[in-house]
Structures are given as structure tokens and as C-alpha cells.
Amino acid sequence: MTTVDGHRFRAVMAAVCAPVTVVTTTGADGGPRGATVSSFTSLSLDPPLVSVAFDRRSALLAEIQVAGRFGVNLLGHGQDDLAVRFATRGADRFGGETAWFTDDGLPRLRDAAGWVACDLERTIEAGDHLLLFGLVTDLGRADLPPLVYAHRTFGTHSRFAERPRPLITDQIAACAR
């Protein structure tokens, strides 16, 4: 079987725009745990499932497997400082400047663009990572531009923040006329 060079693969994948999330759980001691994750996607509507991928060596992965639950904080534009803090080994992730609270028994970051609480449904081995499937038990969102990561930099969807979006009810009313 022929495979591509890892450096070339990583360079191409860096061009793929990915959502920036902070995945959280509660540790065995009751304390908050979390890490930045950019491998997140919706998976199914019925039942509502999402997926996140973790390096097998991730300390957070082990905590999620024990807890059986996790939260996904969808970061908004301008929250790249949180993304960096939760990606930095040894950082005091939930101390100091990190505004957070407990929601549905899980640590939730204040002012995130979205929130998804999940029960761990299944894990799938995938190379050097584990893919976690989460059954969505609670969620919410704010109408904020999302934080995305591509070409090794943070940003947002190029036109999201530029124009106000009409409410769906306004669009429906316009079609009914």
C-alpha cells in the first residue's frame, strides 16, 4: 500500500478550513478539563450525533472516556486567545482570564458562539487518533461569527461578520408575499 509523505499531507490539510472548538469534560476529582480541538463535525440528525477526534495520547481523551460525557464549545471570532490557551500544555486553562460556568454538568466557556453537550456514544480507532461519537443531549448558540482555522491562522468566514442576516421568519414572510 502506498501512502503519501506526512509533511505533504499536513501541508495540504492546513488549507482546509476547520471550526475551532474547546472540548470539555469533568475530571474524576470534579474539576474542569478541556483542550482545543479542530476536528469536529456534525454527523447525524436522527439521532443527533457529532464527532470529535483526539490523538490517542491526549489526557483529555482519557478523562472523557472515564466520564462518558463531553461538551463542545464552538468558539467565536476574536476568541483565538482561548483557542491558544486550551492548546498550550501546562497552561492554567480554566484559571485567570477564562470565563466559564457549569452547564448540564459540564464546563462551558462564557461567550462561545455555540455549545453542545454530549454523552459518549462510541469510539472508533482511526490511525493515531480515536474518533468519538457524541449523542447530543443539550445545545445552544449565539449569533456570532465563528472562529475558524486554516493556513495555520485564525479567522472567520469572510462575509459572516460583514452583513446582518435576516431572520428566517423575515425570509418566510417575504416568500409568502
Side-chain angles (χ1 to χ4, degrees):
M1 180 163 93
T2 305
T3 61
V4 297
D5 173 71
H7 294 291
R8 289 180 55 221
F9 179 71
R10 187 175 223 161
V12 169
M13 299 292 31
V16 176
C17 192
V20 182
T21 68
V22 171
V23 176
T24 60
T25 196
T26 301
D29 64 357
R33 306 288 192 277
T36 300
V37 174
S38 61
S39 180
F40 167 77
T41 190
S42 63
L43 189 62
S44 168
L45 288 175
D46 187 20
L49 295 170
V50 296
S51 68
V52 292
F54 283 92
D55 185 298
R56 290 176 186 261
R57 300 168 295 174
S58 167
L60 183 61
L61 170 62
E63 299 267 11
I64 290 171
Q65 289 176 304
V66 169
R69 302 190 69 229
F70 62 93
V72 181
N73 297 269
L74 306 161
L75 298 187
H77 181 65
Q79 291 186 308
D80 46 307
D81 58 328
L82 282 174
V84 171
R85 183 175 309 127
F86 279 84
T88 303
R89 291 194 190 280
D92 184 7
R93 295 174 177 177
F94 287 93
E97 299 174 22
T98 304
W100 67 279
F101 59 100
T102 300
D103 189 356
D104 198 23
L106 294 164
R108 179 175 173 179
L109 300 178
R110 190 168 308 284
D111 300 326
W115 162 253
V116 182
C118 301
D119 288 339
L120 180 58
E121 179 79 9
R122 176 179 302 154
T123 62
I124 304 290
E125 294 185 15
D128 58 3
H129 278 60
L130 282 183
L131 185 62
L132 307 184
F133 293 172
L135 177 64
V136 178
T137 60
D138 194 14
L139 49 79
R141 74 177 195 78
D143 195 23
L144 300 171
L147 183 64
V148 295
Y149 189 76
H151 296 289
R152 297 180 177 94
T153 191
F154 295 107
T156 193
H157 181 278
S158 61
R159 295 185 58 213
F160 187 95
E162 290 177 8
R163 66 185 197 294
R165 295 178 300 146
L167 297 174
I168 190 69
T169 53
D170 294 341
Q171 292 175 342
I172 292 169
C175 291
R177 292 183 206 152

